[in-house]
Amino acid sequence: MDDRSAQGATPGAHDERRPRSVYGVGRDPDVRFSLANERTALAWVRTGLSLVAGGVALTTVAAIADLPWVIDLVALVACLAGGALAASALFSWRRVERALREDRPLPAPAALPWLVGGVVVLALVLGVFALVEIAQAA
Amino acid sequence: MSQPPPARDPGLQPERTALAWQRTALSVAMIALLLAFACLRGGFLVGTAIAALIALGAGATLFAARRGATRSTGTSPWTALTRIAVLLIATAALGAVFALIVLL
């Protein structure tokens, strides 16, 4: 057992954990905080995953039912946004872990306003699309 | 600050983290398989092969998944996090390409 968890322990030369940009600074926080940070990152990954899933489902439906190109465009954007969320999960995990280790206040969740904005825009686009469809059918 | 490492966490945080890994990896595998079938239907066989590889990678992550999380000290999730993020980005890119194919 090394002294990593001891209070005030400085990162030792034997600490092999990567990335060094995180584990090279500060000292180990309470392990529960690190685990919570890890789960938060995973939750973000799953959020991105659900966007990709929605995109794939929309594309499949569009291919089967011969829907207009707008739906396919929405699916494309959803897929790309899901991939971007996965990348953002990785980087925000690193930022938060650094803040935990240096005992700084946590950074604001940068992806959250983007996600909310994106969902609002998605809802508006699909709503307008539905209205246009209804108007055309009438 | 420094608690004895073998102490059991009443909040079951390591177990919850391992479960979070499990459902994330499982979902990635599921979506990749869904995409594989969608590509197969669309006649985009290269896409099917790539999606199947992604699903295999997610399955491997599931079994390798963060045994570290169930230990309580001194492990880094970085490698596993990077792997799952890369798998998801690959799925997203493939999904976008498939959407483009359907679109054009």
Side-chain angles (χ1 to χ4, degrees):
Chain A
M1 201 60 225
D2 53 39
D3 60 352
R4 266 204 305 266
S5 54
Q7 188 162 21
T10 47
H14 57 281
D15 190 348
E16 299 277 315
R17 292 175 295 172
R18 292 181 58 236
R20 294 313 304 161
S21 62
V22 168
Y23 292 104
V25 299
R27 56 188 164 77
D28 279 1
D30 188 329
V31 69
R32 287 172 297 177
F33 299 161
S34 294
L35 287 174
N37 183 24
E38 192 176 325
R39 287 199 301 278
T40 307
L42 286 173
W44 274 109
V45 169
R46 287 196 299 276
T47 307
L49 192 65
S50 66
L51 276 176
V52 174
V56 171
L58 268 187
T59 311
T60 311
V61 170
I64 292 173
D66 203 21
L67 289 176
W69 58 272
V70 180
I71 295 294
D72 217 45
L73 200 64
V74 168
L76 182 69
V77 172
C79 276
L80 293 179
L85 271 189
S88 122
L90 203 55
F91 290 115
S92 78
W93 174 84
R94 202 172 62 173
R95 267 210 329 275
V96 171
E97 194 71 16
R98 271 184 74 106
L100 279 176
R101 294 184 69 83
E102 292 181 328
D103 210 9
R104 283 185 285 113
L106 294 188
L112 198 53
W114 288 97
L115 178 65
V116 172
V119 169
V120 167
V121 169
L122 178 72
L124 284 179
V125 168
L126 287 180
V128 168
F129 173 73
L131 275 182
V132 169
E133 287 286 292
I134 291 171
Q136 275 177 355
Chain B
M1 261 315 274
S2 72
Q3 66 273 40
R8 183 175 160 281
D9 174 19
L12 296 178
Q13 303 245 8
E15 290 83 352
R16 276 157 59 194
T17 309
L19 284 173
W21 270 104
Q22 241 175 47
R23 61 176 179 270
T24 307
L26 259 182
S27 316
V28 172
M30 284 285 300
I31 299 305
L33 281 181
L34 201 73
L35 187 57
F37 283 117
C39 288
L40 194 64
R41 228 196 114 86
F44 177 34
L45 291 181
V46 181
T48 306
I50 297 175
L53 281 182
I54 292 173
L56 274 182
T61 310
L62 178 64
F63 287 110
R66 283 301 281 137
R67 295 216 185 81
T70 54
R71 292 194 293 271
S72 54
T73 46
T75 52
S76 164
W78 177 253
T79 315
L81 263 180
T82 312
R83 191 181 308 139
I84 205 81
V86 165
L87 283 175
L88 180 50
I89 289 170
T91 315
L94 188 61
V97 168
F98 183 54
L100 265 181
I101 287 178
V102 173
L103 187 65
L104 300 178

